[in-house]
Amino acid sequence: MKFQDKVAIVTGGASGMGYEMVRLFTEEGGKAVIADLNEKLGQEVEDAFRAEGKEVTFIKTDIGSEESIKSMIDATVEKYGKLNVLCNNAGVGIGRNVVDERPEDIQLMFNVNIKGVLFCCKYAIPYMLKNGAEGGAIVNTASNLSLVASHDIATYTATKGAVASITRQIAYDYGAFNIRVNAICPGDTRTTLFKNWLATKENPKEIEDALLARYPMKRFSEPVEQAKAAMFLASDDASFITGQVLAVDGGMTIW
Ligand SMILES: NC(=O)c1ccc[n+]([C@@H]2O[C@H](COP(=O)([O-])OP(=O)(O)OC[C@H]3O[C@@H](n4cnc5c(N)ncnc54)[C@H](O)[C@@H]3O)[C@@H](O)[C@H]2O)c1
């Protein structure tokens, strides 16, 4: 059991990749907090995992709010006594070119995708430092768009580039305390976020085909493929890996 007696927070854990992270973490003996804005889904997911005998707690959290983040992290440690793993996975993806971006969407994406990651680290790391030599692991969900450009998606791409920089910087600052920080860069994955983004386009089929043409493996990712990479980075199997930004994208960014 890779995560026996370990405690994780997965932001955006009620759906998509985050849901799969919670599933894999608890299958390996860990206890997980689902920190998600979607109360209905979060509660349903908690109930379903508990019915399977897994130790999961849903805490309604807005990753765009510093107060909400702090209170969720304090509540996690109050309930489970410690914090070993933080998956900064919640994200908002609204896609427009820079001229058409709406100021409120820019604000939202900066708040959730960048400030949310920083505030989660700010309030989680002091608890990880209390673990002493055991340290901790942070896994950020960045994006293939941390590495390359795509179609009409200016602000999102900027925020995910920032997540890659945050990953390297915090890894640098906390490596000496055995707190490892890594990121996955998912390729396109048919989650709610992806479907909602595609639905805003006038020509979704054309865009989907153009995207697929960029994948040497000629398919999109499944959420569990992202979660497996995240759980590898969160586990002791990756004990000497830190500051890395790992493309999990079927080769989309190699050419
Ligand atoms: N799906 C893709 O193609 C793709 C590609 C690259 C990166 N990503 C990134 O993967 C991560 C997970 O997204 P997903 O694709 O699994 O989508 P998803 O829509 O299935 O899940 C996202 C979850 O985040 C939650 N969330 C959104 N805003 C929140 C907030 N302010 N506070 C708390 N929770 C919030 C949602 O309620 C949802 O449960 C995101 O960071 C996204 O940017 C997705």
Side-chain angles (χ1 to χ4, degrees), residues 15 17 36-37 61-63 89 141-142 156 160 189 191 193:
S15 172
M17 301 173 195
D36 203 291
L37 193 57
T61 312
D62 179 1
I63 296 299
N89 169 75
T141 304
Y156 180 80
K160 292 299 185 176
T189 308
T191 60
L193 178 145

Side-chain angles (χ1 to χ4, degrees), residues 61-92:
T61 312
D62 179 1
I63 296 299
S65 150
E66 179 184 357
E67 297 76 42
S68 183
I69 288 169
K70 182 175 186 313
S71 105
M72 175 274 293
I73 292 174
D74 288 345
T76 300
V77 176
E78 198 165 305
K79 171 143 194 182
Y80 291 126
K82 62 174 181 167
L83 178 63
N84 303 103
V85 171
L86 167 66
C87 296
N88 282 314
N89 169 75
V92 181

Side-chain angles (χ1 to χ4, degrees), residues 11-19 21 35-39 41 60-65 68 88-93 108 111-113 141-145 156 160 184-197 215 223 226:
T11 74
S15 172
M17 301 173 195
Y19 169 88
M21 290 175 200
D36 203 291
L37 193 57
N38 188 330
E39 193 160 17
L41 194 58
K60 185 181 178 189
T61 312
D62 179 1
I63 296 299
S65 150
S68 183
N88 282 314
N89 169 75
V92 181
L108 178 66
N111 282 346
V112 177
N113 298 3
T141 304
S143 171
N144 53 353
L145 302 185
Y156 180 80
K160 292 299 185 176
I184 55 166
C185 292
D188 292 283
T189 308
R190 286 185 210 279
T191 60
T192 306
L193 178 145
F194 178 73
K195 287 177 201 156
N196 288 347
W197 168 75
Y215 283 82
Q226 302 302 327

